[in-house]
Amino acid sequence: YAAAPVAYAAAPAAIAAAPVAYAAAPVAAPIAGPVSSQFQAQDEFGNLAYGYQNINSAKQEQGNAYGGVTGSYTYADEAGVHTVNYVADDFGFRVAGDNLPVAPVYNAALPVAPVHAAAPVVDTPEVAEAKAAFFAAFEAEASRTKRSAQLGAFGPTAYAGLATGLLPAAPLLLLPMLPLL
């Protein structure tokens, strides 16, 4: 754009300074930074204590030489400030807090299952036929005469050789030798 230069002439203005009283500006207190602290202590017996605190949360915990621990912590979230206390020892881990869920209480009567009289089991025709065939075969085998084993040849003494005649069945009496006449 090619524009012609324009000259402006300002009208002279008469400005008179009015007396103004100035007060000292208020001094604001210095803004403190976030305050936080922490600690830890331990003795020669194995007892321990530690904790911390800051703008968002805090924790403290004490432990002993036997493995028991107790403590608590606090934190802030959108629902508010919450505190949780806990104990861990020989009885297990136990916790209590104001934001833990709680099971609903059921106060209604206990339900009772209906009782039905059981109907007897009835065999199908196929099962009845199979049972009859089995019992007929069983009775046929039960009425058959069986051979008995010979105890002398096959008894428990057969393994020791007593029933075979190789060894005497009773101890021998040793008589003194008499001269032959």
Side-chain angles (χ1 to χ4, degrees), residues 27-98:
V27 177
I31 298 173
V35 177
S36 64
S37 64
Q38 60 184 356
F39 69 92
Q40 180 176 0
Q42 185 172 2
D43 63 8
E44 63 272 8
F45 301 114
N47 298 316
L48 174 70
Y50 76 93
Y52 68 88
Q53 181 176 4
N54 60 33
I55 195 168
N56 295 322
S57 63
K59 178 180 181 178
Q60 64 177 358
E61 183 171 294
Q62 299 84 30
N64 59 34
Y66 301 113
V69 175
T70 60
S72 68
Y73 60 91
T74 303
Y75 64 95
D77 64 3
E78 64 275 354
V81 177
H82 305 286
T83 300
V84 177
N85 298 311
Y86 59 90
V87 175
D89 56 10
D90 292 338
F91 299 114
F93 183 78
R94 300 178 305 278
V95 65
D98 59 355

Side-chain angles (χ1 to χ4, degrees), residues 54-160:
N54 60 33
I55 195 168
N56 295 322
S57 63
K59 178 180 181 178
Q60 64 177 358
E61 183 171 294
Q62 299 84 30
N64 59 34
Y66 301 113
V69 175
T70 60
S72 68
Y73 60 91
T74 303
Y75 64 95
D77 64 3
E78 64 275 354
V81 177
H82 305 286
T83 300
V84 177
N85 298 311
Y86 59 90
V87 175
D89 56 10
D90 292 338
F91 299 114
F93 183 78
R94 300 178 305 278
V95 65
D98 59 355
N99 63 338
L100 297 177
V102 178
V105 177
Y106 183 72
N107 289 330
L110 294 175
V112 178
V115 178
H116 298 287
V121 177
V122 178
D123 291 338
T124 62
E126 294 86 9
V127 172
E129 181 182 343
K131 282 183 178 180
F134 169 77
F135 286 118
F138 183 81
E139 289 299 325
E141 286 296 315
S143 64
R144 201 171 82 172
T145 52
K146 297 176 178 57
R147 295 180 292 160
S148 62
Q150 297 175 359
L151 186 59
F154 300 106
T157 58
Y159 297 107

